[in-house]
Amino acid sequence: MADFEMRHISKSFGNVHALEKANFSANRGDCMGLLGENGAGKSTLVKILCGVEKEDEGEVILFGKKMHRRTPREAMEEGVRVVHQELSLIPNGTVAENLFMTDRESIFGRKTLKSLTEKAAALFEKFDVTDLDANEYVSDIPLAKCQKIEILKALAFDFEILVLDEATSALTEKDVEWLFGLVRKLSKEGKIIIFISHRLQEINSICERITIFRNGTSVCEAKRDEMDTDQMVTLMLGRKMAGYYPERCDCMTEEVLLHVEDLRNNELNGISFDLHAGEILGVGGLSGQGQAALFEALYGAAPVGGKILIRGKEHKLHDTSAALKNGIALIPEDRGSQGLALPLSVKENITLASLSKIRKGPFLSATKENELVAEMIEKLQIKTDTPEVPVVTLSGGNQQKVVLAKQLLVGPDILLMYDITRGVDVGTKREMFNLMLDHCQEGKAILFFSTDTEELVHMCNSIYVMFEGKFKERLCGSAMTEENIIRVSVGEAAV
Amino acid sequence: MDKKLFWKKNSTTISRYFIVAILFTLISILKPGFASGSHIKVLLAEAAIIGVAAIGQTLVIITGGIDMSIPWIFNGAAMAAFAFSNTFTGADFGLVIIGILTVGFLLGMINGICVTYLGIPSIVMTLGTNTILQGAVTGLTSGSIVGQAPNILKVLSTGSFFGISVAFLFWIVLAVIVLLLLRKTGYGRALYALGNNRTVAKFSGIHVKRVEAIAYGISGMSAALAGLMLLGKTGSAYLGMGNPFQFQSIAAVALGGVAMSGGSGSYLGTVAGAMTIAVLLSVLTALNLSQAMQQVLYGIILFAAVLIATIQNSKNRSSKL
Amino acid sequence: MQKRNYDRRIKITPDGKRTVVSFVLLVFFLIIMYLVQPSLMKPSRLITITNGQLCLLLGGIGQTLVLLAGGIDLSIGGVICLSNSIAALYMPDSIPGMILMSLLIAALGVGIGMFNGVIITRFHVQPFVVTFTVNYVLLGIALKLLPIDGGEPPARYVSGLLHNFGIFSLSMILVILILAGWVFMRRTRFVRNIYAVGCNAKASALNGIDVSKVKIMTFALSGGLAALAGLWRTAQLASGSPDAGDALTMPSITISVIGGTSMAGGMGGVVGTVVGAYILRLIQDLLTFLGAKSFWSTVFQGVFLVMTVGVCSVIDMKKGGKKNG
């Protein structure tokens, strides 16, 4: 039996099974790499470990003893320290205050800044940190250093298990080196380190063992040197059910619908591309590389620098209604928070973006509305008893179709589709793909981001892979393979 | 729409009418004369003023905000009409009314613009406006003014038409307009959408800020209108006459089952809420309770109403999810 | 060479930077006051002002704590009125009795605050609705106890609290103690948690902070402080009023915000609030001196609230905008 084990962990959110009987184990002194595509269940596993979520089933055992972790605090007290992906620093506290924020002293226990600063200095000395000032206020510190503070915060107290969840994403190269040295030292001391990263290179250089997750379960646990990159990529992808993709049509023309030049904001690093009539242009890469920022910028939902030309004419998209007017519509990623007003009816949601179409005098025409809604329900085959039911009662796939119906009703030339197939069943996926092709055959175009690489390969005319706010590589023709997408996503070169 | 769905969707609102009916029946049994025609007429006229004052409050609460500036917009409107009644009569007074309603709308819009574009929390902004207007109205009128309630307002508030009070009929007409606005126009759709989820509304190309600001404008206008109605009823305007309506307008909305977090509810519910308040007010007065006890009971009732509405709404939502 | 991991120079905290603005305003108004009415600038005046503002100041500190944790407390006025009415009616004329009564009233305030906090966190109701309704009920109870202004607290109680020690009054000593207490408390885990919750409740929960508990504590403190404010008011007026204190809720927000506390939570502090209380008084005195009628002071209250909150909100939005692109 291993020193640390998570056994048969299951967790579902509504109908979505995030984890299904997942196993994970590690021994003292291990630096365990945790790999998987988006949605494979890595972050849910971490959340369960640190007490943010409660598992539906299964148990967590440390040194042969079952752990209770009802709250994050209890998890900390049992020796679990997590460096979360998101920063959780208090900007108006000093570095030292932030480092010891999770201190277990009594509630009215007081620490003078001086004593905290001295403690921090000792900590810095211990972990060989020279570029941080314990007295500096976090609000004055650049982002790259904030992540370092976040790591030190976890190190400030005794722990048995240290989880680094994408902890290197904002670090400089030098700091990554520093972190690796530290990880090696800690694992020598017998700590258990769990390392999650989207950079395969990093996993290769630091982890002795790796566990690969796919679809909510662990599919492989092995020594790192027993595997090469290709095997890892194959395991991450798995063998997926194929054959439900429609025949690709070649309706792409030379006409440029959308020309984008050097888009920049704090997440985008200069993006340029052309989108042609009849084209499905894929955007790949692991999530969090700026895809959301790109789509929001094109939809006028976020400010951006650079040029956007629609049918050769430059437009400044100040807000979403300007984008819709110029024929750009976004199908957002998260139905619940961006796509649908869940308690409102199917009908009200479908017509929400095109209220001007059903206006008759000052009022909305019920006849016209019902007509259009019935048409969309028919076209997209939305399964609902009547269009009057709250959209929240529909299944995930049908909800996604309602979002599609809402935006298609506007009649856009350019559809921005952001990971629309997540949590959608196979049948619905196929219908959506057919719709995409229909859309293109009408001489319109689609910008398609998906975390499912297989979809990209089967649906797109060409694919840009995004990495750290840039289009890292354009894949087309025979180079358009799942392996290549994953390779570029994790910072390797395409073959 | 099939019947089951209709009931399910409107259960909260319908239950509020049951509450009024039960309350009314119980009291009529206990207290003879309560259910007499003339008393019902008084009750409905009273409910009408509360209901009109709560029109805008309903809209603002649907957006997820709150309007605390109703009392002094209300009071200011009544004072202005009272003062101008000396110099303007007949048709000219119609212009005065239009002017007052416009000013009410603009004052509300100032609230709305500051809330949406400057990001001032609605509670603070409208409290501030309320205080400013309190000072301004007190100052401009130097405490008391001489005038008379114009006939048109007297008829509006105390007249009757085939035995039904004009105020009530007027209220019904307004209620129909508000219901049409909320249910049958693009504006109403946008209002519910943004109250539910601002991001979704924004991503659907709705001018979120504009829609929200107008809700505050309507609130200012309805407050002014209610002020005119009360002026007609009491026959004079005095400082502080709008004060009870801050609480009552919110209570009417909450008793109507509208969630304070926004995105749901209907003016029909508020209508029931306003009737409930009118009945309660009349009972509390009839019971000869001191004003203090009335206030305590009142507060507790609102507290319970808000809590029940919140719990009901969160249950509805979680059962659907 | 010795490796140095921290800079020994004193740095101004981000909260401090916000407070500096309020100090600048204070100095500005002091100068104006001196120019228009030099005779008012003497120590005895400070005693009068402090005695007059201590009630608002206590309420404002409670409001600040609640705002820091991301809430708002509209029941401060109600608690002040209730505490004022009870003290004016029932304060016994013996030292132990006075102390016991004061403690009871303070405990009542804490209880009301806790009730607010529990309802807000347990049922997820917006703070303003809960505290607004509770305020209404409290005002009703106060009115029930004391139907008209009146009541007579024992003379010893009044003179005791309004006692002067040379150029210092008890109220000034209390203000100094409050400031010292805050500077001490600022570094406790409890206060750091309040800031953390106000900055980012989600991240605080990840860091193992019990967010609900922190919020309830701020409301409880606010209730307790408001009760103390009512006790002070009883001495200051030597009588009770069931509704006059209600007008203090709004200025309690105003002085918090002038003092640099953000309505969005997580930024600001009590020192600024204390300064804010003095600024407000100076401006009111100036208005009186300029011969403005009392209703102008009401108008000004509202304008000042909206203006300060508006300016702060726009500045914060700009700053946030810069960070988020």
Side-chain angles (χ1 to χ4, degrees):
Chain A
M1 190 172 151
D3 291 335
F4 169 65
E5 279 198 58
M6 294 178 84
R7 278 194 213 150
H8 308 301
I9 307 278
S10 295
K11 172 83 193 171
S12 43
F13 301 98
N15 305 326
V16 184
H17 299 286
L19 287 175
E20 264 188 294
K21 298 209 179 300
N23 289 308
F24 183 85
S25 63
N27 281 308
R28 275 179 180 281
D30 271 350
C31 175
M32 179 66 92
L34 184 53
L35 281 143
E37 275 191 293
N38 294 309
K42 293 170 297 180
S43 50
T44 314
L45 191 81
V46 172
K47 278 184 184 153
I48 285 174
L49 176 59
C50 72
V52 175
E53 302 280 356
K54 179 89 186 99
E55 68 272 13
D56 297 337
E57 253 176 74
E59 50 188 3
V60 184
I61 295 163
L62 181 63
F63 306 136
K65 230 179 77 195
K66 210 172 165 227
M67 298 173 81
H68 345 256
R69 310 132 280 110
R70 304 269 162 215
T71 65
R73 172 150 293 267
E74 281 171 4
M76 284 173 196
E77 275 160 17
E78 302 215 335
V80 180
R81 287 278 156 174
V82 180
V83 180
H84 291 281
Q85 215 168 339
E86 315 93 44
L87 296 177
S88 61
L89 300 176
I90 305 306
N92 58 346
T94 65
V95 171
E97 276 183 298
N98 268 288
L99 285 176
F100 301 101
M101 192 163 88
T102 51
D103 210 337
R104 290 172 218 164
E105 67 199 313
S106 70
I107 190 136
F108 289 111
R110 180 170 184 272
K111 288 277 152 65
T112 57
L113 267 190
K114 208 174 145 214
S115 75
L116 283 178
T117 311
E118 274 160 14
K119 256 173 101 176
L123 186 76
F124 289 169
E125 189 132 354
K126 185 174 164 198
F127 292 113
D128 198 27
V129 178
T130 49
D131 54 352
L132 278 175
D133 179 348
N135 264 341
E136 190 108 33
Y137 283 89
V138 169
S139 52
D140 301 333
I141 287 182
L143 186 73
K145 292 275 174 272
C146 285
Q147 196 155 36
K148 201 168 175 182
I149 301 170
E150 205 69 66
I151 294 168
L152 283 163
K153 194 162 90 178
L155 297 174
F157 301 95
D158 280 342
F159 58 84
E160 298 300 334
I161 303 174
L162 177 68
V163 183
L164 298 163
D165 187 357
E166 302 283 4
T168 53
S169 58
L171 288 184
T172 59
E173 238 165 87
K174 218 177 118 206
D175 284 335
V176 172
E177 276 311 306
W178 164 81
L179 178 67
F180 285 2
L182 206 74
V183 166
R184 286 192 193 102
K185 196 175 119 201
L186 287 168
S187 49
K188 250 181 223 142
E189 286 170 18
K191 309 285 187 208
I192 300 165
I193 316 265
I194 301 171
F195 189 83
I196 302 172
S197 172
H198 64 256
R199 296 175 186 156
L200 220 51
Q201 223 180 345
E202 291 179 356
I203 299 233
N204 272 327
S205 65
I206 187 76
C207 301
E208 292 118 39
R209 305 179 64 81
I210 51 172
T211 301
I212 297 178
F213 263 61
R214 189 174 73 220
N215 294 336
T217 42
S218 35
V219 288
C220 162
E221 203 224 294
K223 276 203 159 148
R224 189 246 313 155
D225 37 16
E226 289 168 358
M227 296 185 99
D228 58 23
T229 312
D230 286 337
Q231 278 172 306
M232 285 191 225
V233 168
T234 315
L235 274 167
M236 279 162 75
L237 287 170
R239 248 180 228 93
K240 281 178 197 152
M241 186 183 148
Y244 58 84
Y245 294 99
E247 199 70 21
R248 207 192 297 257
C249 83
D250 209 13
C251 44
M252 183 174 150
T253 64
E254 287 302 303
E255 187 196 353
V256 178
L257 279 187
L258 179 70
H259 172 78
V260 166
E261 227 176 276
D262 200 32
L263 286 194
R264 268 173 204 284
N265 60 23
N266 62 339
E267 282 179 74
L268 297 179
N269 237 328
I271 287 200
S272 311
F273 65 92
D274 281 333
L275 182 63
H276 301 86
E279 183 181 13
I280 300 179
L281 182 62
V283 176
L286 293 166
S287 60
Q289 304 298 312
Q291 295 98 336
L294 172 64
F295 278 63
E296 278 176 19
L298 290 175
Y299 192 47
V304 72
K307 269 189 191 167
I308 298 174
L309 278 75
I310 302 163
R311 291 188 190 274
K313 241 178 86 189
E314 188 171 354
H315 286 279
K316 283 269 171 230
L317 302 175
H318 291 295
D319 56 21
T320 51
S321 66
L324 282 170
K325 236 175 251 159
N326 288 302
I328 299 183
L330 171 75
I331 319 289
E333 152 196 39
D334 187 349
R335 296 186 288 270
S337 70
Q338 298 168 319
L340 297 172
L342 290 173
L344 298 186
S345 71
V346 173
K347 181 169 90 178
E348 285 165 317
N349 270 293
I350 289 181
T351 52
L352 191 59
S354 28
L355 289 169
S356 56
K357 278 194 174 175
I358 53 172
R359 196 163 282 157
K360 198 174 146 195
F363 297 116
L364 301 176
S365 151
T367 358
K368 227 188 256 174
E369 177 171 29
N370 288 336
E371 232 168 72
L372 285 176
V373 169
E375 198 180 297
M376 286 324 277
I377 289 182
E378 169 73 31
K379 187 173 169 195
L380 298 185
Q381 310 236 309
I382 299 170
K383 286 184 202 72
T384 168
D385 297 341
T386 83
E388 312 284 346
V389 293
V391 75
V392 71
T393 56
L394 269 54
S395 70
N398 277 304
Q399 285 186 15
Q400 190 63 285
K401 283 187 190 170
V402 175
V403 182
L404 226 81
K406 182 180 82 175
Q407 300 297 65
L408 282 176
L409 191 55
V410 185
D413 290 342
I414 300 156
L415 265 181
L416 311 170
M417 296 184 142
Y418 192 94
D419 213 10
I420 56 163
T421 51
R422 184 186 282 183
V424 164
D425 58 292
V426 176
T428 311
K429 272 188 194 172
R430 187 185 299 156
E431 290 170 43
M432 283 183 184
F433 295 143
N434 282 325
L435 271 169
M436 286 169 71
L437 285 187
D438 290 347
H439 189 75
C440 288
Q441 272 160 351
E442 291 168 21
K444 297 167 178 175
I446 295 173
L447 190 66
F448 182 52
F449 166 69
S450 175
T451 43
D452 187 334
T453 46
E454 198 185 69
E455 283 174 22
L456 288 174
V457 171
H458 282 88
M459 292 303 300
C460 299
N461 297 79
S462 60
I463 300 166
Y464 282 106
V465 180
M466 270 186 100
F467 190 71
E468 289 168 358
K470 271 189 204 153
F471 279 167
K472 183 135 188 260
E473 214 165 315
R474 178 165 184 259
L475 303 170
C476 56
S478 60
M480 219 164 58
T481 61
E482 286 181 65
E483 283 75 14
N484 272 341
I485 296 174
I486 293 275
R487 275 174 171 281
V488 181
S489 310
V490 293
E492 307 272 322
V495 287
Chain B
M1 202 191 300
D2 67 88
K3 269 183 191 159
K4 218 171 114 193
L5 199 64
F6 176 82
W7 280 101
K8 204 173 167 187
K9 266 196 168 172
N10 298 295
S11 58
T12 322
T13 310
I14 295 165
S15 67
R16 305 300 144 145
Y17 282 91
F18 273 112
I19 291 176
V20 189
I22 292 168
L23 197 68
F24 185 79
T25 325
L26 272 178
I27 296 162
S28 327
I29 294 167
L30 292 172
K31 208 175 159 301
F34 198 83
S36 71
S38 59
H39 190 243
I40 290 178
K41 207 168 125 189
V42 172
L43 278 181
L44 287 178
E46 181 128 2
I49 298 177
I50 300 170
V52 172
I55 289 176
Q57 191 71 274
T58 310
L59 266 61
V60 171
I61 287 177
I62 288 174
T63 71
I66 195 147
D67 189 352
M68 307 290 270
S69 67
I70 287 176
W72 285 93
I73 293 183
F74 182 107
N75 211 331
M79 293 294 244
F82 197 48
F84 285 125
S85 63
N86 295 326
T87 35
F88 299 90
T89 47
D92 287 351
F93 193 74
L95 289 177
V96 171
I97 291 181
I98 291 170
I100 287 172
L101 294 182
T102 312
V103 172
F105 182 79
L106 291 177
L107 287 173
M109 278 303 278
I110 293 175
N111 278 335
I113 287 167
C114 289
V115 168
T116 53
Y117 290 90
L118 301 185
I120 302 178
S122 68
I123 176 93
V124 171
M125 182 62 215
T126 51
L127 265 179
T129 311
N130 195 41
T131 313
I132 295 170
L133 290 174
Q134 180 185 357
V137 171
T138 315
L140 290 171
T141 58
S142 341
S144 67
I145 43 171
V146 190
Q148 59 194 21
N151 268 330
I152 175 171
L153 295 180
K154 272 188 194 157
V155 172
L156 177 63
S157 304
T158 54
S160 56
F161 185 74
F162 291 115
I164 305 171
S165 98
V166 176
F168 181 61
L169 289 174
F170 181 62
W171 183 30
I172 289 179
V173 172
L174 283 181
V176 170
I177 294 173
V178 174
L179 284 171
L180 282 175
L181 177 74
L182 286 179
R183 291 284 164 209
K184 293 286 168 210
T185 65
Y187 178 78
R189 289 286 174 85
L191 199 68
Y192 280 105
L194 85 88
N196 261 299
N197 190 325
R198 272 182 175 63
T199 317
V200 171
K202 185 181 161 196
F203 275 24
S204 302
I206 288 168
H207 295 280
V208 174
K209 289 179 177 171
R210 198 187 300 165
V211 170
E212 195 175 352
I214 290 173
Y216 286 87
I218 294 175
S219 185
M221 186 154 74
S222 65
L225 185 57
L228 297 180
M229 287 170 77
L230 188 63
L231 169 64
K233 189 185 164 208
T234 55
S236 74
Y238 49 92
L239 291 175
M241 68 192 282
N243 284 350
F245 290 87
Q246 184 177 61
F247 191 83
Q248 285 174 10
S249 64
I250 299 170
V253 177
L255 283 168
V258 179
M260 286 288 154
S261 48
S264 70
S266 145
Y267 186 65
L268 271 181
T270 305
V271 168
M275 289 181 178
T276 316
I277 292 178
V279 172
L280 283 174
L281 267 179
S282 148
V283 174
L284 294 180
T285 323
L287 285 175
N288 257 337
L289 283 177
S290 66
Q291 209 218 319
M293 281 318 289
Q294 285 189 31
Q295 191 168 347
V296 174
L297 282 175
Y298 228 13
I300 292 173
I301 288 165
L302 172 60
F303 188 80
V306 169
L307 213 56
I308 290 168
T310 308
I311 294 168
Q312 242 179 4
N313 275 290
S314 68
K315 257 200 191 141
N316 276 350
R317 257 170 221 196
S318 62
S319 74
K320 279 175 201 158
L321 291 167
Chain C
M1 210 174 73
Q2 199 202 347
K3 222 178 353 180
R4 211 176 54 168
N5 269 316
Y6 55 91
D7 193 337
R8 277 173 214 286
R9 279 171 309 174
I10 294 169
K11 281 184 193 147
I12 297 175
T13 72
D15 289 325
K17 281 180 200 159
R18 299 173 76 100
T19 316
V20 166
V21 180
S22 57
F23 275 105
V24 171
L25 273 176
L26 180 70
V27 172
F28 172 75
F29 282 112
L30 277 174
I31 291 170
I32 292 189
M33 199 68 194
Y34 180 73
L35 292 177
V36 298
Q37 191 76 330
S39 64
L40 277 181
M41 301 292 280
K42 54 187 183 215
S44 66
R45 182 78 190 140
L46 187 60
I47 292 180
T48 323
I49 291 187
T50 310
N51 278 345
Q53 291 300 86
L54 188 64
C55 176
L56 173 61
L57 202 149
L58 288 168
I61 291 171
Q63 187 71 269
T64 303
L65 294 174
V66 174
L67 288 175
L68 282 177
I72 190 166
D73 189 352
L74 299 183
S75 68
I76 285 175
V79 177
I80 292 177
C81 289
L82 184 61
S83 139
N84 179 213
S85 306
I86 296 176
L89 285 169
Y90 305 118
M91 188 59 77
D93 194 8
S94 72
I95 304 277
M98 281 181 199
I99 292 172
L100 188 66
M101 192 69 202
S102 304
L103 284 177
L104 278 177
I105 290 175
L108 177 69
V110 171
I112 294 168
M114 274 178 101
F115 176 78
N116 282 334
V118 169
I119 297 284
I120 288 163
T121 51
R122 174 73 184 76
F123 297 105
H124 306 284
V125 196
Q126 289 92 320
F128 76 81
V129 192
V130 174
T131 51
F132 174 69
T133 343
V134 166
N135 187 54
Y136 198 77
V137 175
L138 294 177
L139 288 175
I141 297 173
L143 192 64
K144 176 76 191 158
L145 294 172
L146 189 71
I148 44 160
D149 288 11
E152 211 177 311
R156 269 200 290 173
Y157 177 77
V158 174
S159 62
L161 285 185
L162 295 179
H163 190 75
N164 290 346
F165 307 90
I167 57 161
F168 286 103
S169 65
L170 182 62
S171 57
M172 285 162 70
I173 293 170
L174 283 175
V175 171
I176 290 165
L177 282 177
I178 287 169
L179 290 175
W182 170 255
V183 170
F184 179 84
M185 287 289 289
R186 178 68 188 86
R187 302 292 164 204
T188 60
R189 199 183 104 203
F190 172 61
V191 175
R192 271 190 273 128
N193 284 355
I194 294 181
Y195 279 88
V197 168
C199 269
N200 188 342
K202 218 170 147 191
S204 305
L206 280 182
N207 279 318
I209 296 171
D210 187 339
V211 175
S212 297
K213 199 164 100 188
V214 170
K215 283 189 178 168
I216 294 171
M217 295 273 266
T218 59
F219 279 102
L221 273 174
S222 170
L225 284 164
L228 293 182
L231 285 171
W232 179 263
R233 198 177 167 82
T234 314
Q236 186 207 339
L237 303 175
S239 108
S241 161
D243 54 4
D246 190 32
L248 289 173
T249 303
M250 222 178 57
S252 77
I253 301 172
T254 313
I255 62 172
S256 299
V257 178
I258 316 174
T261 298
S262 155
M263 297 225 41
M267 288 279 180
V270 162
V271 178
T273 308
V274 172
V275 176
Y278 283 98
I279 295 176
L280 196 64
R281 176 58 184 260
L282 275 174
I283 300 178
Q284 279 164 346
D285 285 355
L286 268 173
L287 283 175
T288 319
F289 174 75
L290 294 172
K293 296 201 183 100
S294 72
F295 63 83
W296 282 118
S297 142
T298 317
V299 172
F300 153 80
Q301 289 262 2
V303 172
F304 204 50
L305 174 67
V306 168
M307 228 173 56
T308 41
V309 176
V311 168
C312 291
S313 147
V314 169
I315 290 171
D316 285 348
M317 236 192 308
K318 282 253 165 73
K319 266 190 200 157
K322 238 185 246 162
K323 252 188 193 164
N324 303 324

